Amino acid sequence: MIYAIDKVNWPESFPEKPETTVEVTNSHEWLFLKWHVRGEQLRAVTTEDQGPVWEDSCVEFFCQVPGEKYYCNFETNCIGAMVGSRRKGRSEDVQPFSAEEMGLIERKCTFPREAFEEKEGMFEWEVEFQIPLDLIFRDSKPVFPQVLRVNFYKCADKTKKPHYVSWQPIQLPTPNFHCPEFFGEIVLE
């Protein structure tokens, strides 16, 4: 299934909306996400996992198994550096994935993992990543649920035109993606 990330939640402060879609498929062991972005800015300063990738040209996937207290966040810049954790909230009970767990997430990007400052122009790029379902469904084994609560995001905090776009609308006064109450549902096959 392909989802459009097109909700501009704070249009007066952050009106920018890069064209962004994500295609989601799964097997019995993996969740596959393929992002396509077209926008005016491109920035990739962070090259290491668990660094501030949200400051760069970044796409994000947050997910929660229905009924669980924790959710997972996977945030990836345009060169494949990623943040990943399990958490109860933005700063509540955050459990970053280990280097070994991050190494299990396969990634493929349009650009090599080399840092660069912001470039201006029109850019198209893709990021693909494959997440082992064991990372997401850690508390749900041995049965994986068919429904997953999620939201998809496109952001770039430190570009000249910062933006915070989502798949499902977020009804808060200021940007915050760490809000499972605004997740939608997708069905895994």
Side-chain angles (χ1 to χ4, degrees):
M1 184 72 135
I2 297 176
Y3 302 92
I5 293 76
D6 58 3
K7 305 297 184 289
V8 178
N9 299 288
W10 303 278
E12 293 174 9
S13 303
F14 304 103
E16 193 73 12
K17 183 175 82 170
E19 296 173 29
T20 308
T21 59
V22 61
E23 181 178 1
V24 181
T25 58
N26 68 283
S27 70
H28 293 292
E29 296 178 5
W30 297 89
L31 186 65
F32 306 96
L33 295 99
K34 181 176 183 177
W35 300 83
H36 181 84
V37 179
R38 184 174 190 276
E40 292 182 23
Q41 292 96 27
L42 191 65
R43 180 184 193 265
V45 174
T46 301
T47 59
E48 299 299 320
D49 283 349
Q50 305 296 26
V53 297
W54 57 88
E55 296 176 350
D56 294 338
S57 299
C58 182
V59 292
E60 302 182 356
F61 169 63
F62 288 24
C63 62
Q64 183 179 47
V65 175
E68 285 191 7
K69 294 178 183 176
Y70 289 89
Y71 65 92
C72 296
N73 62 299
F74 301 92
E75 309 174 22
T76 308
N77 68 10
C78 61
I79 60 172
M82 180 180 274
V83 166
S85 68
R86 288 171 41 85
R87 57 180 66 218
K88 287 185 179 177
R90 183 180 201 108
S91 56
E92 183 185 357
D93 199 5
V94 178
Q95 303 169 11
F97 291 126
S98 68
E100 181 181 326
E101 289 170 318
M102 294 299 290
L104 297 173
I105 302 169
E106 298 180 18
R107 299 165 237 180
K108 188 165 92 173
C109 306
T110 301
F111 304 106
R113 196 181 283 199
E114 298 171 359
F116 56 86
E117 292 294 332
E118 183 172 351
K119 300 176 183 181
E120 292 187 33
M122 186 58 69
F123 300 94
E124 287 194 48
W125 51 279
E126 291 185 341
V127 171
E128 297 178 41
F129 51 93
Q130 301 176 27
I131 304 167
L133 288 176
D134 286 344
L135 282 180
I136 298 169
F137 298 133
R138 183 178 293 172
D139 298 333
S140 304
K141 291 197 262 179
V143 178
F144 294 150
Q146 287 187 297
V147 173
L148 197 57
R149 299 187 66 247
V150 307
N151 212 343
F152 307 103
Y153 311 103
K154 168 68 184 85
C155 65
D157 289 23
K158 296 256 176 133
T159 58
K160 289 182 183 171
K161 296 181 183 177
H163 51 272
Y164 305 92
V165 187
S166 64
W167 171 56
Q168 291 293 303
I170 300 170
Q171 299 167 350
L172 295 173
T174 57
N176 181 4
F177 291 162
H178 291 271
C179 42
E181 63 271 28
F182 299 116
F183 289 3
E185 291 187 348
I186 63 171
V187 177
L188 304 180
E189 298 180 13

